[in-house]
């Protein structure tokens, strides 16, 4: 029931290719019919011609037979292809929708989820879904129809024999179903044991230094052995079930043939003789062998396909769980046209979900074009405050006014075109240098990129890589300093009115340090800037320094004023910890 | 069992001959340690498998005979009973053959994975810097599975297919050589097509996986750069790029569907054609009296028996290829040398008290590095002292500590512990005396307690002491389950400073004679730092106490160490008491002056830094 509901939610993604599914639906009975025709034609040939010895009309029969064989191949291919077309396009749409959904998830949600889990949704889970569709659903439809058709065809040839064979079926099917159910639980145990093994191993490899330094090898091996045994034992159990299922289907088809021969000859002690005697001909037997093959082959593979489909359903559930995570519409809210860059914060408070307040009543006014440096110890709330200002986090209390309008009432995406946040970690993408600067914004011309790069000393990187040069592995080929300069060029090219910057703390060599300082100076020019400062130079150039402690502003003023006051700031500076080492 | 395992053995031989790889020796060893102990089960499985095949091909003959009996109006009860018994026997015997062969293979897989893991844990750092860890992990995760499939499924199918083909072929030829030739011809053509299809399919599948890899890379990049994407309202451009990759994947997927739908079923097609040939030609033979109807029936039934093993033959080839490639990749790692005890008999210089360390003419270059990462002509760390190491990023602080902990192997005759050459001390004995808390704290996704104690039977009292000494108590109180809190992947549940202090608590719990702290205080605030340094001061304190070495660029920390070594670009440029070093020109003084300048116009500078 729940499964059906889930499947129903897939419909919107499949609807556009409804024609493909319609064609497949028409082809299904055709394929089954052509396939089922073959044993019947063989029976006709044997009973009607070979046994009787009249070869007339045998040629026509053989032509029909060949037509059925080739026709079945073509129709089945058409069936497979149309379903793959519809199914895979559906999968692509679903994946696209998931990705677009991901891009709209609020930062507060993203920060709480390990990236790996979200990644699994878009890749492995969607992939399992595709697999379930192409290997499972596609084939299972035809299989089921084939099973039903085979039974009907057999009944048409000899309903009494078919009936007797069918009477034997329920116990067989019951055992098969029992095995399948047990296999399902066992299979889940196998999968979870395997993923436990793999993540354990990955983690120990990642932390191999710690393992060696702390002579932790033996403990780790013991833990690993336990996981390994869990996997081995589960796999062994699944082997047993699997082998039984496989062998049961294999042996049952032989037993069905035996039953056929037996009943045909009159059954137990010839009791059924009057019913059957003489009705089981050689041709009928050959035809039934052909039909039994068509009956048992899908039955044998059914359990494997069901497992694939079950895996797909599990993934489907997880995929929709992510899709159901509510996302705010970033275009909803009052439009934002020109921004002067005037910020007023009144008694701003903020708490993470299920947490206590980390911002505890901040009042601050930043005039257009002003450079404000935020300073404070780790955990004082500086970074959280910047996340509120660049609209990464919503849900603040109190009031944040941008040019006199409440920030929360404005459309976030429009705000972000004017207010740019630059994070401490250097965020680069495995794409061209040009894309890393303009981020695909068509309004940013190459000239603008070049001017931006020159202004922030990123032109050296441009010279080395070229604008179309691709950054490998998210900029792994760049030095830390170069990476920073590229992100500055990005900010410069986007030309925001307000810049919210969390300075990177990583130390760089003195030459690069000077370049960065100059670049920052140019980047700050003519904008409202709020910067979480880790550089002495940044602090000294600030129009105002705001010192935070435990989610509140405890001091503000210029460097000079604050040093003279001899308060928290002076203490921080004296301790040498307001900023990282030079 | 000969054949089931000969699949694995065959590969040994091939590898021996190719001579390109690591040679056959480890394989022979693997065979002896992993396969041989299971010989009884495997042999029994192989015998059962042969029996199953014999039964399977015997049934069509029995069917043929019963058809002939029916034709002549003779009783068929005996035939029916025979078929039924064979069917029942097949259920038992086939199941047993699969269980007896597959289950030992699972055990082999378990033991092999265990060995592999043990080997990984002991590989030296020199290995890890030259290999991508993700790659190693994926080899362990996927390749071991592929080897198991090759040995288990591959071995079983190889035996199964050769038996089935041989026996069926023999039975068919015995019935009629002419019919055999005629019916096998279309099947052979079909096989060739399917073989091509499988190869094509695997190539496409690989491409498909690569494209999926690109998609996943794109998603990962987007997740990591989400603040930028959303912050610069660049969602549309990223969506477009994602779509392009998604559509590439679709194109390959459709081509796979094409191969799968058209080429793969050709075997069934040719099987159908073969039945047609049989009926037409065989019918004429029955007519001519050279074949009975029963024999023709048996022939059709044999053809049905022949098709499934043929179907698996195509996959068998690819399974063997993949398995072999996987095994080669695994052997490459298994044969990477693990450092052995240098055989030094010298007892580790008396454990139980902090060692004195002397550095003499040390020059160290990382494997694959162009220039030396560290060159120190001479330096001394007195026993039981607390020494600071100062230097900018890349100055060589971490390298020196890693050499002392022998994470990197120092050249002989350069580092002396209480007068004894470090490389002559047995590695394990030395590791038991040294504690290095690395700069990048690494936490396992287990509880805080496990991360501190690194054992499943922790001494809770000591854990609580270590946690207290590392100033973690307040933090733990805020965590949902205190010491039992699961810290998540790489400790995501904790802040950077908390992670560092858990790592420090781990070092304190373990304890040792030489405590090496690599910049572990960089993410903690000033007050916490003060308490931590006090703890460390309490630990060291002259002869008999542990020797503590702290690498840091924080002046406030270095000031409190008795002695400072100053590194700059891999060279030791100065050393001595902090107050003396800071008075001399050099990197330490530069930073100190910069600080002072920062404070200078702020009024009275107490000069505390130099005190």
């Amino acid at each position: 029931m729940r499964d059906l509901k889930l499947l129903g939610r897939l419909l919107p993604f499949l609807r556009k290719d409804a024609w493909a599914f319609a064609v497949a639906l028409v082809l299904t009975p055709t394929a089954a019919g052509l396939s089922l025709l073959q044993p019947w034609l063989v029976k006709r040939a044997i009973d009607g011609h070979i046994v009787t010895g009249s070869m007339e009309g045998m040629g026509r029969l053989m032509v029909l037979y060949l037509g059925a064989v080739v026709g079945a191949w073509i129709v089945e291919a058409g069936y497979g292809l149309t379903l793959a077309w519809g199914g895979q396009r559906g999968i692509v749409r679903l994946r696209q929708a998931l990705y677009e959904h991901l891009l709209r998830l609020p930062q507060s949600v993203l920060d709480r989820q390990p990236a790996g889990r979200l990644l699994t949704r878009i890749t492995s889970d969607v992939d399992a879904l595709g697999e379930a569709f192409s290997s499972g659903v596609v084939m299972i439809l035809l299989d089921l129809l084939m099973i039903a058709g085979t039974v009907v065809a057999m009944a048409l040839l000899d309903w009494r024999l078919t009936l007797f064979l069918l009477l034997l079926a329920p116990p067989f099917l019951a055992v098969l179903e029992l095995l399948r159910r047990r296999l399902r639980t066992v299979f889940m145990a196998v999968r979870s044991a395997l993923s436990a093994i793999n993540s354990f191993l990955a983690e120990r490899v990642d932390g191999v230094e710690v393992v060696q330094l702390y002579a932790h090898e033996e403990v780790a091996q013991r833990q690993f052995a336990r996981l390994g045994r869990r996997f081995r034992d589960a796999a062994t159990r699944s082997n047993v079930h699997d082998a039984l299922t496989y062998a049961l289907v294999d042996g049952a088809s032989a037993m069905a043939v035996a039953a056929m021969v037996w009943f045909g000859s009159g059954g137990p002690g010839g009791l059924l003789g009057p019913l059957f005697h003489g009705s089981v001909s050689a041709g009928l037997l050959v035809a039934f062998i052909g039909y039994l093959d068509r009956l048992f082959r899908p039955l044998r593979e059914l359990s494997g396909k069901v497992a694939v489909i079950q895996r797909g359903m599990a993934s489907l559930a997880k995929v929709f769980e992510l899709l159901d995570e509510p996302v705010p519409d970033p275009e909803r809210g009052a439009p934002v046209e020109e921004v002067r860059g005037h910020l007023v914060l009144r008694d701003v408070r903020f708490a993470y979900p299920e947490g206590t307040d980390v911002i505890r009543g901040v009042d601050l006014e930043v005039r257009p074009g002003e450079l404000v440096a935020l300073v404070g110890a780790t955990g004082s709330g500086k970074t959280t405050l910047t996340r509120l200002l660049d609209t990464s986090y919503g849900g603040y209390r109190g009031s944040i006014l941008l040019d006199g309008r409440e920030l929360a009432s404005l459309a976030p995406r429009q705000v972000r075109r004017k207010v740019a946040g630059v994070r401490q970690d250097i965020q680069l993408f495995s794409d061209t240098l040009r894309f890393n600067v303009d981020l695909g914004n068509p309004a940013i011309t190459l000239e603008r990129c070049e001017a931006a790069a020159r202004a922030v000393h990123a032109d050296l990187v441009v010279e080395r890589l070229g604008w179309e040069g691709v950054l490998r592995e998210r900029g792994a080929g760049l030095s830390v300093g170069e990476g920073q300069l590229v992100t500055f060029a990005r900010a410069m090219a986007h030309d925001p009115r307000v810049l919210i910057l969390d300075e990177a703390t990583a130390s760089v060599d003195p030459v690069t340090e000077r370049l960065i300082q100059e670049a920052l100076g140019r980047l700050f020019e003519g904008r409202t800037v709020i910067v979480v400062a880790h550089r002495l130079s940044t602090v000294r150039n600030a129009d105002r320094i705001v010192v935070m402690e435990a989610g509140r502003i405890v001091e503000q003023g210029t460097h000079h004023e604050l040093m003279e006051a001899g308060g928290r700031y002076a203490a921080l500076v004296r301790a040498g910890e307001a900023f990282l080492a030079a | 069992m000969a054949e089931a395992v000969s699949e694995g053995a065959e590969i040994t031989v091939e590898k021996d001959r190719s001579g390109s790889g690591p040679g056959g020796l480890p394989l022979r060893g693997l065979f002896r340690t992993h396969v041989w102990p299971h010989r009884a089960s495997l042999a029994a499985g192989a015998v059962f498998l042969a029996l199953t095949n014999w039964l399977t091909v015997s049934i069509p003959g029995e069917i043929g005979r019963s058809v002939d009996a029916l034709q002549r109006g003779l009783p068929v009860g005996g035939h029916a009973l025979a078929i039924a018994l064979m069917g029942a026997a097949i259920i038992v015997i086939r199941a047993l053959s699969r269980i007896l062969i597959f289950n030992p293979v699972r055990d082999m897989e378990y033991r092999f994975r265990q060995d592999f893991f043990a080997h990984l844990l002991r590989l030296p750092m020199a290995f890890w810097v030259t290999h991508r860890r993700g790659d190693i992990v994926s080899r362990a995760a996927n390749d071991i599975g592929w080897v198991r499939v090759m040995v288990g499924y591959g071995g079983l199918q190889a035996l199964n297919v050769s038996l089935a083909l041989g026996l069926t072929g023999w039975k068919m030829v015995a019935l009629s050589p002419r019919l055999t030739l005629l019916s096998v011809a279309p099947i052979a053509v079909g096989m060739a097509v399917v073989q091509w299809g499988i190869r094509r399919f695997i190539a496409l599948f690989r491409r498909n996986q690569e494209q999926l890899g690109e998609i996943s890379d794109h998603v990962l990049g987007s997740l990591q750069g989400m603040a930028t994407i959303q912050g610069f309202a660049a969602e549309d451009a990223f969506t477009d790029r994602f779509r392009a990759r998604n559509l590439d994947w679709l194109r390959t997927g459709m081509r796979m569907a094409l191969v799968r739908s058209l080429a793969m079923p050709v075997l069934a097609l040719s099987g159908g054609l073969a039945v047609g040939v049989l009926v037409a030609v065989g019918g004429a033979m029955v007519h001519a009296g050279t074949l009975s109807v029963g024999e023709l029936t048996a022939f059709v039934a044999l053809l049905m028996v022949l098709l499934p093993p043929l179907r698996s033959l195509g996959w068998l080839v690819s399974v063997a290829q993949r398995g072999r490639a996987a095994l080669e990749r695994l052997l490459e790692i298994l044969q990477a040398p693990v450092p052995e005890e240098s055989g030094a008999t010298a007892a580790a210089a008396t454990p139980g008290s902090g060692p004195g360390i002397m550095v003499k003419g040390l020059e160290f270059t990382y494997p694959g590095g162009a220039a030396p990462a560290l060159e120190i002509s001479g330096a001394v760390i007195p026993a039981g002292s607390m020494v600071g190491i100062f230097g900018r990023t890349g100055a060589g602080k971490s390298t020196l500590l890693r050499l002392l902990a022998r994470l990197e192997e120092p050249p002989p005759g350069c580092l002396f512990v209480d007068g004894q050459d470090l490389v002559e001390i047995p590695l394990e004995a030395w590791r038991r005396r040294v504690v290095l808390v690395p700069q990048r704290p690494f936490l396992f996704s287990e509880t805080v307690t496990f991360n501190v104690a690194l054992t499943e039977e922790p001494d809770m009292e000591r854990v609580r002491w270590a946690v207290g000494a590392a100033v973690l108590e307040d933090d733990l109180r805020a965590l949902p389950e205190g010491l039992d809190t699961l810290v998540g992947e790489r400790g995501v549940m904790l802040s950077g400073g908390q992670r560092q202090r858990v790592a420090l608590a781990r070092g304190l719990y373990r304890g040792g004679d030489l405590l090496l702290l690599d910049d572990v205080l960089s993410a903690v605030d000033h007050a916490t730092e003060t308490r931590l340094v006090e703890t460390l001061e309490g630990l060291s304190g002259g002869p008999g106490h542990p020797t503590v070495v702290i690498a840091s660029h924080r002046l406030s920390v270095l000031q409190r160490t008795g002695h400072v070594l100053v590194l700059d670009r891999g060279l030791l440029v100065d050393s001595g008491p902090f107050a003396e070093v800071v008075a001399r020109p050099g990197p330490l003084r530069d930073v100190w002056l910069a600080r002072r300048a920062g404070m200078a116009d702020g009024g009275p500078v107490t000069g505390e830094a130099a005190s």
Side-chain angles (χ1 to χ4, degrees):
Chain A
M1 196 52 227
R2 200 177 130 259
D3 283 3
L4 272 182
K5 223 177 193 169
L6 267 176
L7 278 177
R9 296 197 56 186
L10 268 182
L11 280 180
F13 298 98
L14 300 173
R15 196 163 286 151
K16 267 203 185 129
D17 293 300
W19 69 266
F21 295 106
V23 170
L25 220 58
V26 173
L27 289 181
T28 322
T30 320
L34 284 171
S35 173
L36 293 172
L37 193 61
Q38 295 165 26
W40 184 76
L41 288 170
V42 171
K43 177 200 177 284
R44 281 283 303 272
I46 293 178
D47 283 351
H49 300 280
I50 296 173
V51 173
T52 59
S54 75
M55 296 313 267
E56 211 173 307
M58 173 88 175
R60 201 169 49 96
L61 217 52
M62 280 343 286
V63 170
L64 268 178
Y65 175 79
L66 287 184
V69 169
V70 176
W73 173 62
I74 293 173
V75 172
E76 272 183 46
Y79 167 80
L81 281 174
T82 45
L83 271 186
W85 173 263
Q88 296 207 19
R89 281 166 54 95
I91 293 295
V92 162
R93 275 187 215 111
L94 178 63
R95 187 183 282 141
Q96 191 74 28
L98 263 177
Y99 180 72
E100 286 173 23
H101 186 80
L102 209 60
L103 288 189
R104 287 166 64 169
L105 281 176
Q107 290 287 323
S108 48
V109 173
L110 289 165
D111 288 350
R112 274 186 287 122
Q113 300 235 25
R117 190 182 306 161
L118 294 170
L119 182 65
T120 312
R121 294 293 158 274
I122 284 197
T123 53
S124 318
D125 280 332
V126 173
D127 207 37
L129 211 53
E131 179 72 11
F133 196 83
S134 61
S135 302
V137 178
V138 169
M139 295 298 160
I140 232 165
L141 274 179
L142 186 57
D143 284 353
L144 289 177
L145 200 71
M146 195 69 103
I147 290 171
T150 306
V151 172
V152 170
M154 285 166 77
L156 284 178
L157 276 180
D158 191 319
W159 63 269
R160 285 165 301 183
L161 192 55
T162 308
L163 196 65
F164 271 88
L165 286 178
L166 285 184
L167 283 179
L168 295 178
F172 166 73
L173 288 177
V175 174
L176 210 60
E177 175 62 17
L178 191 75
L179 282 172
R180 193 184 66 75
R181 273 198 201 156
R182 307 240 334 238
L183 193 61
R184 179 178 165 183
T185 40
V186 173
F187 188 70
M188 258 148 52
V190 172
R191 275 185 68 82
S192 89
L194 183 63
S195 80
I197 281 185
N198 286 339
S199 53
F200 184 89
L201 185 129
E203 204 176 75
R204 267 52 186 186
V205 163
D206 243 2
V208 71
E209 281 99 341
V210 173
V211 171
Q212 295 191 353
L213 280 169
Y214 286 80
H216 181 54
E217 291 94 343
E218 266 126 53
V219 176
Q221 267 172 261
R222 263 205 306 284
Q223 289 178 297
F224 192 66
R226 205 160 52 224
L227 293 174
R229 278 197 298 276
R230 184 150 77 87
F231 175 62
R232 181 194 61 189
D233 297 343
T236 302
R237 254 178 297 142
S238 115
N239 264 348
V240 171
H241 286 90
D242 213 36
L244 278 175
T245 312
Y246 188 89
L248 189 67
V249 177
D250 212 29
S253 63
M255 291 174 88
V257 171
M260 236 157 60
V261 171
W262 193 33
F263 285 134
S265 70
L271 272 179
L272 300 170
L275 258 178
F276 284 111
H277 194 70
S279 72
V280 177
S281 67
L284 188 69
L285 209 53
V286 174
F288 265 52
I289 291 172
Y291 283 129
L292 283 178
D293 183 57
R294 282 167 171 74
L295 197 59
F296 279 106
R297 195 162 7 139
L299 276 180
R300 175 182 299 174
E301 287 159 16
L302 206 58
S303 66
K305 285 172 187 164
V306 167
V308 170
I309 291 178
Q310 276 166 348
R311 211 177 320 153
M313 291 305 293
S315 293
L316 192 60
K318 287 189 226 158
V319 162
F320 279 112
E321 199 179 304
L322 176 58
L323 272 181
D324 288 342
E325 180 87 42
V327 286
D329 181 355
E331 293 290 1
R332 223 179 76 191
V336 180
E337 307 267 308
E338 283 312 303
V339 164
R340 283 186 307 126
H342 184 237
L343 280 165
V344 180
L345 286 72
R346 294 254 178 278
D347 192 29
V348 173
R349 289 164 190 278
F350 178 78
Y352 290 101
E354 293 137 39
T356 51
D357 281 2
V358 282
I359 301 293
R360 303 195 284 187
V362 166
D363 292 283
L364 180 68
E365 179 173 359
V366 185
R367 289 174 301 276
E370 199 181 5
L371 170 55
V372 171
L374 293 180
V375 167
T378 320
S380 59
K382 328 174 279 257
T383 299
T384 307
L385 189 62
T386 62
R387 301 264 156 105
L388 296 179
L389 294 174
D390 70 15
T391 72
S392 288
Y393 291 173
Y396 60 85
R397 285 163 289 141
S399 145
I400 300 177
L401 299 176
L402 173 64
D403 291 352
R405 299 163 77 195
E406 190 62 46
L407 193 61
S409 72
L410 305 175
R413 233 160 93 89
Q414 300 198 24
V415 172
R416 289 171 192 161
R417 292 206 177 90
K418 304 291 175 192
V419 180
V422 175
R423 293 271 175 110
Q424 199 178 43
D425 53 328
I426 299 157
Q427 300 192 329
L428 296 173
F429 302 96
S430 305
D431 211 305
T432 61
L433 186 56
R434 168 92 195 265
F435 182 78
N436 269 286
V437 170
D438 70 15
L439 292 177
N441 185 340
I444 299 176
T445 59
L446 186 60
E447 287 78 51
R448 207 160 124 193
C449 289
E450 271 169 348
R454 260 196 312 278
V456 298
H457 295 303
D459 41 353
L460 284 172
V461 186
V462 179
E463 245 166 60
R464 189 153 64 81
L465 293 174
W467 280 111
E468 294 309 313
V470 172
L471 303 188
R472 300 260 160 240
E473 293 183 48
R474 297 184 267 290
L478 299 183
S479 73
V480 176
E482 287 174 327
Q484 281 193 52
L485 294 179
V486 173
T487 62
F488 293 163
R490 174 191 294 156
M492 194 80 179
H494 282 77
D495 193 25
R497 295 312 310 143
V498 180
L499 182 68
I500 315 285
L501 176 87
D502 204 342
E503 268 190 328
T505 50
S507 345
V508 292
D509 62 88
V511 180
T512 314
E513 175 61 30
R514 221 192 53 237
L515 290 180
I516 289 177
Q517 285 183 17
E518 277 179 33
L520 281 175
R522 305 232 180 108
L523 186 57
F524 292 165
E525 249 165 55
R527 302 178 214 283
T528 307
V529 180
I530 295 174
V531 52
V532 175
H534 296 292
R535 278 191 175 72
L536 201 56
S537 59
T538 306
V539 175
R540 296 176 63 109
N541 292 333
D543 297 314
R544 190 151 42 115
I545 296 163
V546 170
V547 184
M548 289 191 71
E549 197 174 274
R552 287 199 187 85
I553 293 175
V554 288
E555 265 183 351
Q556 29 183 319
T558 62
H559 177 71
H560 206 87
E561 289 163 7
L562 292 176
M563 284 314 287
E564 227 148 68
R568 292 299 306 150
Y569 179 75
L572 276 167
V573 170
R574 220 164 266 135
E577 299 315 329
F579 339 101
L580 283 193
Chain B
M1 63 160 185
E3 253 109 318
V5 185
S6 80
E7 190 55 7
E10 236 167 63
I11 289 158
T12 321
V13 177
E14 274 175 49
K15 277 214 62 78
D16 270 330
R17 247 186 272 127
S18 74
S20 62
L25 211 75
L27 278 179
R28 219 166 282 147
L30 284 175
F31 183 85
R32 205 174 41 243
T33 53
H34 293 86
V35 182
W36 192 239
H38 292 293
R39 60 188 177 279
S41 171
L42 292 171
V47 169
F48 282 135
L49 192 60
L51 266 178
T52 313
N53 274 291
W54 179 74
L55 286 171
T56 309
V57 295
S58 300
I59 289 175
E62 208 53 44
I63 295 175
R65 280 189 282 284
S66 50
V67 167
D68 282 343
L70 273 175
Q71 290 285 306
R72 294 192 208 111
L74 297 172
V76 295
H79 295 300
L81 189 64
I83 296 174
L85 284 178
M86 286 195 261
I90 281 179
I91 296 182
V92 177
I93 296 175
R94 193 182 276 288
L96 275 176
S97 73
R98 291 178 87 91
I99 292 170
L100 285 171
I101 292 179
F102 284 158
N103 282 2
V105 173
R106 287 293 183 175
D107 190 62
M108 290 179 214
E109 180 193 22
Y110 158 69
R111 286 174 204 288
F112 183 70
R113 182 178 275 124
Q114 207 58 38
D115 290 354
F116 188 75
F117 183 64
H119 185 78
L120 283 185
L121 293 186
R122 286 168 178 81
L123 283 169
M125 285 307 127
F127 173 89
W128 295 109
V129 294
T130 48
H131 290 77
R132 275 179 43 226
R133 295 189 187 196
D135 183 44
I136 304 294
V137 169
S138 108
R139 287 192 204 185
N142 302 319
D143 287 349
I144 293 179
W146 275 112
V147 172
R148 190 244 308 147
V149 170
M150 175 180 73
V151 174
Y153 174 84
L156 181 122
Q157 285 298 350
L159 182 59
N160 198 21
V161 168
S162 42
L163 280 171
L165 293 187
L167 287 171
T168 319
W170 170 59
K171 292 259 174 188
M172 285 169 91
V173 171
L175 277 172
S176 164
R178 182 158 159 241
L179 276 185
T180 308
L181 203 67
L182 282 171
S183 58
V184 164
I187 291 183
V189 176
M191 270 302 291
V193 174
V194 170
Q195 201 63 57
W196 171 85
I198 287 177
R199 262 207 308 279
R200 188 89 198 94
F201 186 80
I202 288 174
L204 284 169
F205 178 77
R206 214 165 276 163
R207 182 118 132 257
N208 197 246
Q209 290 302 106
E210 278 166 24
Q211 286 166 336
L212 203 61
E214 274 169 40
I215 286 177
S216 109
D217 219 50
H218 182 93
V219 175
L220 197 61
S222 306
L223 283 170
Q224 284 173 353
M226 194 62 88
T228 300
I229 298 173
Q230 292 185 348
F232 287 93
E235 290 95 335
D236 295 345
F238 279 83
T239 304
D240 289 345
R241 278 165 149 74
F242 185 76
R243 185 174 293 116
R245 294 195 163 90
N246 214 353
L247 290 179
D248 279 345
W249 176 88
L250 177 66
R251 268 188 287 278
T252 314
M254 278 315 293
R255 287 170 70 184
M256 279 164 73
L258 206 61
V259 174
R260 179 156 58 187
S261 304
L262 281 173
M264 303 295 208
V266 164
L267 191 63
L269 172 71
S270 60
L273 293 179
V275 170
V277 172
L278 272 184
V279 172
V281 179
M285 285 167 75
V286 171
H287 193 58
T290 50
L291 195 76
S292 78
V293 178
E295 284 170 330
L296 181 61
T297 314
F299 215 103
V300 175
L302 278 174
L303 206 63
M304 293 296 156
V305 171
L306 191 65
L307 289 181
L310 280 179
R311 212 170 284 141
S312 32
L313 186 65
W315 291 106
L316 190 59
V317 176
S318 68
V319 159
Q321 280 171 350
R322 282 193 90 149
R324 221 188 107 172
L327 188 60
E328 265 170 46
R329 280 194 296 270
L330 291 171
L331 285 178
E332 213 178 282
I333 299 174
L334 275 175
Q335 284 176 317
V338 165
E340 277 173 39
E341 290 306 332
S342 46
T345 45
T350 39
S353 70
I357 290 163
M358 191 169 64
V359 189
K360 215 163 67 184
L362 172 69
E363 187 182 319
F364 176 77
T365 309
Y366 279 103
L374 195 61
E375 277 183 84
I376 298 177
S377 52
V380 169
I381 296 171
S385 65
M386 179 152 115
V387 171
I389 304 179
F390 174 80
R392 298 167 198 273
T393 316
K397 302 190 293 280
S398 299
T399 306
L400 180 57
L401 296 186
R402 289 169 74 89
L403 285 169
L404 285 173
R406 277 180 71 188
L407 262 185
E408 312 293 344
E409 204 49 22
C414 297
L415 286 172
F416 295 89
V417 177
D418 290 338
Q420 190 185 349
D421 193 341
L422 180 59
V423 294
E424 280 177 15
I425 300 173
L427 184 60
E428 280 205 19
W430 179 240
R431 286 261 170 84
R432 237 168 265 135
R433 295 187 65 195
V434 184
V435 175
L436 167 64
V437 183
Q439 186 174 25
R440 198 176 56 100
F442 186 92
L443 301 193
F444 299 108
S445 53
E446 313 246 5
T447 60
V448 174
T449 303
F450 182 89
N451 271 294
V452 170
L454 288 182
T455 160
E456 290 170 302
E457 301 100 28
D459 173 352
M460 284 316 291
E461 208 165 300
R462 195 165 165 80
V463 168
R464 273 186 282 272
W465 167 80
V467 163
V471 201
L472 260 171
E473 274 161 337
D474 291 343
D475 303 81
L476 286 177
R477 231 165 274 135
L479 288 176
E481 296 179 43
L483 279 170
D484 294 328
T485 307
L486 288 165
V487 300
E489 218 174 299
R490 288 161 178 272
V492 283
M493 295 290 292
L494 307 179
S495 75
Q498 286 172 335
R499 282 199 288 268
Q500 278 191 341
R501 276 172 291 144
V502 171
L504 182 62
R506 174 189 292 162
L508 295 172
Y509 177 93
R510 231 282 299 251
D513 300 331
L514 178 59
L515 206 55
L516 307 170
L517 307 178
D518 192 355
D519 214 359
V520 294
L521 308 175
S522 65
V524 300
D525 59 53
H526 189 58
T528 313
E529 178 199 290
T530 309
R531 289 180 56 195
L532 285 172
V533 175
E534 275 163 13
T535 305
L536 297 172
E537 276 173 339
L539 282 178
S540 65
H545 286 77
T547 309
V548 180
V549 182
I550 306 178
S552 179
H553 52 218
R554 285 197 181 186
L555 297 182
S556 49
V557 174
L558 294 168
Q559 248 174 271
R560 307 184 72 143
T561 61
H563 201 84
V564 184
L565 305 180
V566 181
L567 293 175
D568 194 25
R569 281 161 225 191
L571 295 170
L572 179 71
V573 294
D574 203 350
S575 67
F578 185 87
E580 283 176 26
V581 175
V582 86
R584 290 195 282 264
L588 186 60
R589 184 173 172 79
D590 290 348
V591 171
W592 184 70
L593 284 178
R595 277 279 188 284
R596 233 170 86 100
M599 296 180 279
D601 27 295
V605 172
T606 58
E608 73 163 18
S611 66

